[in-house]
Amino acid sequence: MTMPAPARAGSDASDYVTTQPEGVLKTYSRAGEKLTSVMGGIVNGTQNDQSMKIVFAPDGKTVWFDKIISATSTTFGWIKGEREGNKITVKEGQKAWYYKQDTVYTAYTVTRIVPNPDGSAENYNNYKYAPGDITFSIDKDSVITLLPDENGVAAIGLTRDSNDPFLVQYGYNGKWLGYGDINTVYTPYTVNLPQGPDSTVKLEDYSMTYFNEIGGPRVGRMVKCAVVDNKMYIQGASQYIPEAWLVGDIDGNKVTFTEQQAGLLDYYYTDFRGAEVVQRDSEYYYSPIEKLVFNYDPETKTLTTDNCLVVGTKSFLVAEGYMNVEFAPFADVAMKPATPVVGEAYYETMQGCVVSVYVPCLDVKGSFLDPSKLTYSLYIDGALYTFDADKYYIEHSATEVPYGYSDGYFFKPLNMNRYSVEIFSSNASTIGVKSIYRGADTTTESDMATFTIPLTGVSEVKTSDVVKTQYYDLAGRCSDHPVQGVNIVVRTHSDGTTSTAKVVR
């Protein structure tokens, strides 16, 4: 039997609350399973260690949930519950997302969901909407638990409510959207981030170098450090939470860092932790250790370890991992950068070739360079190449590329800290690359590395000038710029012919 769509006043935005309601805000950590809609079907995952905000209103009864469905961050509505004793009841059909144009509206509403015996994950319908309000329990420690329905299922999700003629005609209205949470528990979470030294303490520039993949080159970045009494303070040890402080205890020639909070990363609570790399079959994994101990030289103030520093959740979902970390004082001096490497160059599109480059963040003596002061330039048959603003969709034309720059399209990261760069030149025979470093207000260039492009396939590439380029998506819509996803690129050449290529952005 098909259950009826939830009856809601979908055209009314009165219950779409997007600003934080009045009351006491408390932070929680989630636990449980989650369902996420991805290309290919519905996948099961975990909501463990994801953050949750809950507001307890002044009336002592009203409770507001922020982003109540963990699997999607595109819901902006606060969902209202009413507390009575040790239970919180959430009326079904409240809006987590809402859009209306003229008289046509679409809302993503919070409802119960149950397994669909006639569906499958591959068909995006292994769960379905179920009528009924949502209930939670809340205990004396403020732990909140999603309660099961009469059939023993504790699951909530997003269900579509719309009067859009297309959605209604094809049966999409009242359907589960593929996002949901199962057996959810919210546990109070106390934010206790390590603090840096007193503001009067001068911070020193340090380099943080490490390996981020087995067999790869040593890489790094700049951080700030301070030593106060028997404490070592480091800011910038997390690439994605650069403001976070890592604080360790100095004891003679050792510095010990215990597990400590790093901060919020993509809705997850994360910690700094020590780890070691272990091999299972042909795969390598991080395995947590109780303490991360560095060797410390009090004279040079350098820290080294054979273990790893990771940033991850308590359930050890690792977001960042750094092997064989070294922290060392950094002096801003003029240094000649090491010679880069052109790994390969080949013709991939009608408009030009793709170049693979590796730019070491080291000088010729192996000393670390400040990445923010390092760039590289390309040379086509000996001539300096200009990255045209119109072709590369950048603000200004440039002849230098910042170290580590990626736009995911013309400049793409590869493994082993290499990058692929697309060049608009259809008849180049050699590609050169040179690094430029600006230390101590002095510009220094590396030696040139060159690569000769194989002749194979060059004759198949049109060498006449491109006079017009248009991009088409899979629906046939034309644009002067590439769109996200698959692009069919049609180029008109000066000889009147056209060429096409398929690219993914």
Side-chain angles (χ1 to χ4, degrees):
M1 181 179 72
T2 302
M3 294 183 180
R8 298 183 290 279
S11 59
D12 183 3
S14 60
D15 65 339
Y16 184 42
V17 181
T18 57
T19 57
Q20 181 179 313
E22 181 183 0
V24 177
L25 176 67
K26 294 186 178 181
T27 55
Y28 280 75
S29 180
R30 302 175 187 257
E33 305 166 61
K34 69 178 177 181
L35 303 167
T36 307
S37 177
V38 299
M39 184 174 293
I42 305 298
V43 296
N44 289 71
T46 177
Q47 50 181 305
N48 293 353
D49 303 310
Q50 280 191 252
S51 63
M52 179 71 176
K53 294 180 181 179
I54 299 178
V55 169
F56 293 84
D59 62 11
K61 295 182 178 180
T62 306
V63 180
W64 295 92
F65 298 85
D66 179 40
K67 294 182 175 61
I68 195 169
I69 304 300
S70 69
T72 175
S73 61
T74 56
T75 55
F76 308 107
W78 288 81
I79 303 302
K80 181 180 179 181
E82 293 293 334
R83 179 174 180 175
E84 185 174 347
N86 65 348
K87 285 191 176 181
I88 301 173
T89 300
V90 174
K91 293 293 184 182
E92 74 150 321
Q94 295 183 60
K95 298 177 182 64
W97 180 83
Y98 180 76
Y99 175 79
K100 183 178 182 181
Q101 184 174 18
D102 299 327
T103 60
V104 178
Y105 69 86
T106 296
Y108 298 165
T109 64
V110 179
T111 68
R112 282 198 173 277
I113 57 174
V114 294
N116 180 11
D118 300 321
S120 68
E122 293 77 13
N123 291 324
Y124 301 91
N125 63 352
N126 52 329
Y127 277 75
K128 61 183 179 179
Y129 159 73
D133 293 337
I134 301 161
T135 55
F136 294 86
S137 68
I138 180 168
D139 67 13
K140 59 182 179 60
D141 297 318
S142 297
V143 176
I144 299 174
T145 304
L146 176 63
L147 296 178
D149 61 14
E150 63 275 9
N151 297 312
V153 178
I156 59 175
L158 294 178
T159 298
R160 182 185 287 108
D161 175 34
S162 178
N163 68 350
D164 186 306
F166 174 84
L167 298 175
V168 173
Q169 178 181 353
Y170 289 96
Y172 294 120
N173 190 39
K175 297 291 187 180
W176 175 56
L177 287 163
Y179 298 96
D181 290 340
I182 305 172
N183 300 324
T184 299
V185 178
Y186 305 135
T187 303
Y189 181 87
T190 301
V191 176
N192 186 25
L193 295 172
Q195 300 300 305
D198 186 270
S199 59
T200 60
V201 175
K202 182 180 179 181
L203 302 178
E204 298 182 48
D205 289 327
Y206 266 59
S207 62
M208 173 185 172
T209 59
Y210 49 85
F211 298 100
N212 59 10
E213 52 189 330
I214 300 292
R218 195 168 187 84
V219 294
R221 59 177 179 274
M222 299 296 295
V223 298
K224 295 289 186 180
C225 291
V227 176
V228 181
D229 298 328
N230 64 339
K231 294 286 186 182
M232 170 67 75
Y233 297 88
I234 302 174
Q235 187 180 48
S238 168
Q239 179 180 358
Y240 301 121
I241 317 176
E243 70 278 9
W245 284 98
L246 177 64
V247 182
D249 295 308
I250 302 173
D251 184 8
N253 62 352
K254 302 289 183 183
V255 179
T256 301
F257 297 91
T258 57
E259 181 180 339
Q260 52 196 276
Q261 292 183 11
L264 200 60
L265 178 60
D266 291 336
Y267 302 105
Y268 283 89
Y269 293 117
T270 60
D271 300 321
F272 287 112
R273 300 177 73 172
E276 58 184 1
V277 175
V278 297
Q279 184 176 3
R280 299 172 192 162
D281 298 326
S282 60
E283 299 292 330
Y284 292 89
Y285 300 87
Y286 290 110
S287 178
I289 56 179
E290 184 179 353
K291 298 177 180 180
L292 179 58
V293 180
F294 282 78
N295 296 313
Y296 178 58
D297 186 333
E299 292 187 5
T300 63
K301 297 182 181 180
T302 299
L303 293 82
T304 59
T305 183
D306 292 330
N307 285 317
C308 311
L309 173 67
V310 301
V311 179
T313 66
K314 289 195 177 300
S315 55
F316 215 61
L317 174 63
V318 175
E320 306 175 47
Y322 307 107
M323 296 178 282
N324 302 99
V325 183
E326 177 180 306
F327 295 101
F330 182 83
D332 183 23
V333 296
M335 293 186 279
K336 181 178 180 178
T339 305
V341 176
V342 183
E344 60 181 345
Y346 55 91
Y347 287 97
E348 182 179 70
T349 68
M350 295 297 181
Q351 62 191 8
C353 65
V354 173
V355 181
S356 167
V357 299
Y358 165 59
V359 179
C361 196
L362 304 170
D363 75 349
V364 290
K365 297 179 180 180
S367 299
F368 180 74
L369 302 176
D370 183 347
S372 67
K373 299 180 179 182
L374 181 63
T375 62
Y376 65 91
S377 295
L378 296 183
Y379 292 78
I380 309 300
D381 295 331
L384 181 63
Y385 181 74
T386 298
F387 296 91
D388 183 84
D390 293 334
K391 292 180 179 179
Y392 287 91
Y393 308 112
I394 53 180
E395 188 174 355
H396 303 290
S397 296
T399 58
E400 297 182 26
V401 181
Y403 174 82
Y405 174 74
S406 170
D407 63 0
Y409 186 62
F410 297 111
F411 305 86
K412 299 178 183 178
L414 305 173
N415 65 338
M416 301 299 182
N417 293 285
R418 296 179 299 120
Y419 284 82
S420 69
V421 183
E422 186 167 343
I423 302 299
F424 289 85
S425 176
S426 59
N427 56 1
S429 58
T430 63
I431 301 290
V433 59
K434 183 185 291 187
S435 295
I436 304 98
Y437 186 67
R438 293 178 173 86
D441 297 323
T442 302
T443 300
T444 310
E445 296 183 350
S446 73
D447 293 336
M448 176 86 75
T450 59
F451 182 88
T452 301
I453 303 177
L455 295 178
T456 303
V458 173
S459 60
E460 300 174 6
V461 179
K462 283 187 174 291
T463 57
S464 57
D465 293 335
V466 176
V467 296
K468 184 179 181 181
T469 303
Q470 292 178 301
Y471 303 85
Y472 293 85
D473 63 15
L474 293 182
R477 291 171 292 208
C478 180
S479 171
D480 291 331
H481 305 287
V483 298
Q484 285 297 118
V486 178
N487 292 259
I488 305 300
V489 186
V490 179
R491 299 181 179 87
T492 303
H493 299 266
S494 57
D495 60 4
T497 61
T498 59
S499 59
T500 61
K502 182 173 73 171
V503 297
V504 179
R505 184 178 187 185

